[in-house]
Amino acid sequence: MAKSPEQRPANPSAWRALTALRDFPYPYVAALAISCDPDDLRNREDFLAVARFLNTTDETAMGPGLGLETGFGFWLYDACGGCDFTLFQGVSSQRSCNAQLIEDLIESGHLDFIHGYGDFSEGGFERRYAKEALEYLAARGLRLQVWVNHGGDRNTQQIGSLPEQRGDNRDAEEYHTDLLLPYGIRFAERFEIVHTVGQDAPCNLLDRLKQAVELLLYAVRAGEWKARTLFSNRLLGTLRLDDGQFVYTFRRFAGKRGGLRRAGSEELPELISKRVLDELQAKGGYTIIYTHLWRNRERPDILPQETQDALRDLAARHRHGKICVTTTKKLLIYNLVHNHLVWDVDSTGSELAIRIGGVMEPLGGFRIPTLEELQGMTFYTPHPEATRVYLQDREIGSAVANPPDHTALKSISIPLTRQVFPRKYCS
């Protein structure tokens, strides 16, 4: 029960004891992103069929859309000639027939990570492709923060410690991270896959054993042993690239049984099965799903019925306030800001003031976040109607009071802002 003004603590330290930063945006108990790589995507029609089903509530070929918030990776080039859903035609500097769609969806946030510069699975990547592409995006104000390696031994644009990952090696012809990070990339996935449900969550003994095996296998391939990450179950880490720069790294979930397999649309039901989602909710963690939704063994339906059913169950959990489903970028930013938020509490007469000072990041130190980066931050407070939230000295007027959650505690939130899929691509 909220205290009346005369009963409330008179000093800041007492107020601090009554407030806490909630783990996830109200009312959710876990968070998940479907991180879909563009491998095996062939054309605009196939992309839009999946994107509309996931991101709108319109009637689609697969029934009513799910109304989720889902992002996708994309390519700028295609050196293999199998895809026209790229920003440029082949490996030229000419805009493709889908360039405007791609640019619009980068702006709306539905294309939220670069999956390498393109499909160079047969080799042929050159530094000039990175320079031309990043200059093109920057000139149009299209800034992305997330990079995901596109695998394969001949895709030498990758970054990391494996022999084929030469994009961050100053002495390699493929070197490009001196361009990539200044452009705006902050988060990089270098193909470190996990098989543990829920990062930043408690682990059982089986989880620990899996992590040890994963790290050992990676160490054998990479020729390095990262003892400091042994048994780590963090979503985010920091990585020193070969050229001396630092980025945040993250890991994606590829199933409980181990092995990358195909990670196609037919495998997705296992990754978001009832068992997995129940475990994620019980643990209260983060999961980024590794998948290729257009990889479907040449079936006529892009998403098999069992995949559609599994996605509908996930969407129901999101609607019922259990699992927050969002894009890879938004989940990573929330995790980073939440884990390093600097805030304090004081009282002003009959009101409580929660004051956000900034974010003390592992890379870069202290900075003041934007309001967009703060969306979803939720604070437990005994009297949310008499609580105000400030970013330094400016009140965040959009903050909303919440009723008690599953812990029976009240809270106040900076609301989540949902991305809107552009209507001109919905018909």
Side-chain angles (χ1 to χ4, degrees):
M1 178 180 296
K3 295 179 180 289
S4 62
E6 61 274 11
Q7 293 175 308
R8 292 175 195 156
N11 61 78
S13 61
W15 274 118
R16 189 71 153 100
L18 293 173
T19 59
L21 181 60
R22 197 177 187 276
D23 287 342
F24 297 96
Y26 175 88
Y28 302 105
V29 297
L32 178 147
I34 298 175
S35 182
C36 181
D37 296 346
D39 306 47
D40 297 313
L41 172 60
R42 296 292 175 251
N43 54 57
R44 173 193 190 103
E45 291 71 25
D46 286 353
F47 173 83
L48 287 175
V50 172
R52 289 170 183 154
F53 176 65
L54 290 173
N55 286 286
T56 78
T57 56
D58 296 347
E59 190 63 33
T60 73
M62 292 176 276
L66 303 182
L68 293 172
E69 188 174 62
T70 306
F72 305 89
F74 72 100
W75 284 329
L76 295 121
Y77 303 99
D78 176 27
C80 297
C83 176
D84 71 7
F85 193 77
T86 53
L87 188 62
F88 301 111
Q89 296 179 29
V91 292
S92 75
S93 59
Q94 298 299 310
R95 296 171 82 243
S96 77
C97 59
N98 291 311
Q100 190 59 56
L101 167 60
I102 289 171
E103 292 174 26
D104 289 344
L105 293 183
I106 294 173
E107 189 168 1
S108 71
H110 292 92
L111 291 177
D112 70 325
F113 65 90
I114 300 175
H115 188 48
Y117 295 102
D119 189 3
F120 290 90
S121 298
E122 298 175 2
F125 176 76
E126 300 175 15
R127 176 182 169 87
R128 65 184 177 92
Y129 295 129
K131 186 174 187 298
E132 291 174 0
L134 296 177
E135 287 179 351
Y136 179 95
L137 293 171
R140 288 156 179 78
L142 301 172
R143 298 281 180 176
L144 293 116
Q145 298 187 43
V146 184
W147 166 278
V148 171
N149 276 342
H150 179 45
D153 292 347
R154 302 184 70 181
N155 251 306
T156 53
Q157 62 182 307
Q158 298 179 70
I159 63 177
S161 302
L162 300 179
E164 65 270 21
Q165 295 174 340
R166 300 206 287 266
D168 57 332
N169 186 335
R170 289 185 185 275
D171 297 325
E173 295 180 359
E174 300 90 341
Y175 178 53
H176 63 82
T177 48
D178 62 324
L179 307 173
L180 188 67
L181 272 60
Y183 156 77
I185 293 296
R186 304 177 65 206
F187 306 94
E189 194 263 12
R190 56 173 182 161
F191 220 61
E192 287 184 286
I193 300 299
V194 295
H195 308 293
T196 302
V197 175
Q199 279 58 69
D200 287 9
C203 291
N204 55 38
L205 178 59
L206 181 58
D207 292 334
R208 297 295 192 190
L209 290 174
K210 285 181 181 178
Q211 291 163 11
V213 171
E214 290 161 9
L215 287 166
L216 179 59
L217 292 175
Y218 184 86
V220 170
R221 281 201 69 198
E224 62 178 23
W225 177 250
K226 294 188 175 298
R228 66 183 177 83
T229 65
L230 183 62
F231 297 147
S232 170
N233 192 42
R234 304 297 296 180
L235 176 71
L236 282 174
T238 58
L239 171 68
R240 185 181 188 274
L241 300 174
D242 288 346
D243 64 3
Q245 297 183 94
F246 287 85
V247 294
Y248 294 108
T249 61
F250 64 98
R251 295 177 289 178
R252 299 190 290 176
F253 175 67
K256 298 188 69 173
R257 299 178 186 173
L260 297 182
R261 305 189 318 278
R262 289 169 45 82
S265 61
E266 291 181 322
E267 285 73 35
L268 185 61
E270 179 186 330
L271 303 186
I272 56 171
S273 67
K274 181 180 185 302
R275 179 183 54 156
V276 168
L277 297 184
D278 286 349
E279 183 177 345
L280 178 62
Q281 287 179 208
K283 285 182 171 179
Y286 298 81
T287 286
I288 299 179
I289 301 294
Y290 164 66
T291 190
H292 309 85
L293 289 179
W294 295 279
R295 180 172 290 170
N296 59 7
R297 303 183 194 274
E298 305 303 324
R299 294 174 55 142
D301 48 346
I302 296 177
L303 297 182
Q305 188 60 52
E306 55 267 41
T307 303
Q308 298 176 39
D309 293 342
L311 286 165
R312 290 192 186 281
D313 176 50
L314 176 63
R317 293 174 190 248
H318 176 80
R319 288 195 306 274
H320 295 151
K322 301 300 183 183
I323 299 177
C324 179
V325 181
T326 187
T327 67
T328 303
K329 170 195 166 184
K330 290 182 72 172
L331 187 147
L332 292 172
I333 290 175
Y334 178 86
N335 180 275
L336 177 65
V337 173
H338 178 276
N339 287 342
H340 301 287
L341 195 68
V342 178
W343 62 282
D344 210 339
V345 178
D346 63 47
S347 58
T348 55
S350 62
E351 291 187 342
L352 169 67
I354 294 174
R355 300 189 183 277
I356 298 172
V359 183
M360 182 61 74
E361 291 194 15
L363 302 179
F366 182 83
R367 68 179 182 86
I368 300 173
T370 65
L371 284 177
E372 181 181 6
E373 291 175 311
L374 291 173
Q375 61 178 281
M377 296 297 153
T378 300
F379 298 86
Y380 284 120
T381 169
H383 197 63
E385 294 80 7
T387 301
R388 302 289 180 266
V389 182
Y390 296 84
L391 176 55
Q392 297 210 321
D393 295 327
R394 182 173 55 148
E395 182 178 358
I396 301 175
S398 61
V400 295
N402 304 313
D405 62 10
H406 66 289
T407 67
L409 297 175
K410 297 179 180 180
S411 61
I412 188 168
S413 295
I414 301 170
L416 290 168
T417 302
R418 187 178 181 279
Q419 295 176 172
V420 178
F421 198 78
R423 293 306 305 172
K424 64 181 177 179
Y425 300 118
C426 290
S427 58

